[in-house]
Amino acid sequence: MAFEWFKRKNKNITTSTTEKKDVPKGLWHQTPTGKIIEYDELKANNYVSPEDGFHVRIGSNEYFSLLFDDEKYTELDAKVQSIDFLKFKDTKAYSDRLKEVKAKTKLNDSVRCAVGKVGGTEMVISCMDFAFIGGSLGSVMGEKIARAIDHAIQNRLPFMIISQSGGARMQEAAFSLMQMAKVQAKLAQLSCAGLPYISYLSDPTFGGITASFAMTADIIMAEPGALIGFAGPRVIRETIGKDLPEGFQTSEFLLEKGFVDFIVRRTEIKAVVSKTVNLLYENK
């Protein structure tokens, strides 16, 4: 019979170990609340669980597909890559770590920049990838964002950064920290040119990113439930010696305290970004 491989016991269907079949990896996704969703359904819903609203972490490729009209865009400075100019070593050489993560992620660094139309309006978007060394801020990220801002100024286009980062990249030491000032200087030029800058904070956004350009935009948006801050809650708790408020460092908490302008679900991101840009920007 077609269902001979099923065996019933106490009204539950069980299958012997030898008869069990592996589910292909990636076919299902389980959220932190325990909800299970088919991957194709998750993708169709912009990687948001329809049952509990959980926003699954995604990268630049997915964000660009969600935002740019017809998924068409031109990547800027795609071949710029990190190098181990300090010959840094911890548990392994930084150069080896870079080789491994490039092979694994098929990315050249922790940010990608692109230009294309969002809701009919052309704009420049820089999007971080947490999969590449925790989306850490290094010399290449700073340089690529700076060049993307230059492109926006030269072509009089709105600019947007999608942040997801653990902070500065320790393997690049002070060179990493210098990128905060570098990007801020370019954003000042963008502002002087009268062009809008939108910051979109996804999970997680921490460290030097939060301490600089992620929080200095004309409009600051955040994904629901995203963790945003400078240091982690454990470090803060141990430093001040007090328990932290419930929901501390979530986007909802920051909205209440005035650090975020509004929270935008990923299923609505394109429409909201397009509307915001059109309100702020006049194409000249």
Side-chain angles (χ1 to χ4, degrees), residues 265-281:
R265 291 175 58 88
R266 196 182 293 153
T267 50
E268 302 168 351
I269 182 174
K270 182 174 181 177
V272 173
V273 169
S274 176
K275 183 177 181 179
T276 302
V277 166
N278 289 329
L279 287 172
L280 295 175
Y281 171 69

Side-chain angles (χ1 to χ4, degrees), residues 42-109:
L42 184 68
K43 182 178 179 180
N45 200 45
N46 294 3
Y47 301 93
V48 177
S49 172
E51 289 194 51
D52 57 12
F54 177 76
H55 283 53
V56 176
R57 184 180 298 156
I58 59 175
S60 58
N61 188 54
E62 290 81 12
Y63 275 113
F64 288 164
S65 295
L66 294 177
L67 284 164
F68 289 119
D69 296 349
D70 300 320
E71 301 184 19
K72 294 180 179 179
Y73 57 88
T74 301
E75 187 169 353
L76 305 173
D77 302 298
K79 295 182 179 180
V80 180
Q81 302 185 41
S82 291
I83 60 172
D84 185 12
F85 46 82
L86 294 179
K87 306 302 178 185
F88 187 94
K89 291 183 180 180
D90 48 11
T91 54
K92 65 172 62 177
Y94 180 38
S95 57
D96 292 336
R97 189 181 298 273
L98 286 172
K99 290 178 184 177
E100 291 176 3
V101 73
K102 287 175 183 177
K104 183 178 180 180
T105 64
K106 309 303 179 185
L107 298 168
N108 286 330
D109 204 78

Side-chain angles (χ1 to χ4, degrees), residues 173-195:
F175 288 97
S176 172
L177 302 179
M178 290 166 58
Q179 307 310 310
M180 293 188 289
K182 179 178 182 177
V183 173
Q184 281 299 139
K186 284 296 180 183
L187 288 172
Q189 293 177 2
L190 186 78
S191 179
C192 289
L195 298 168

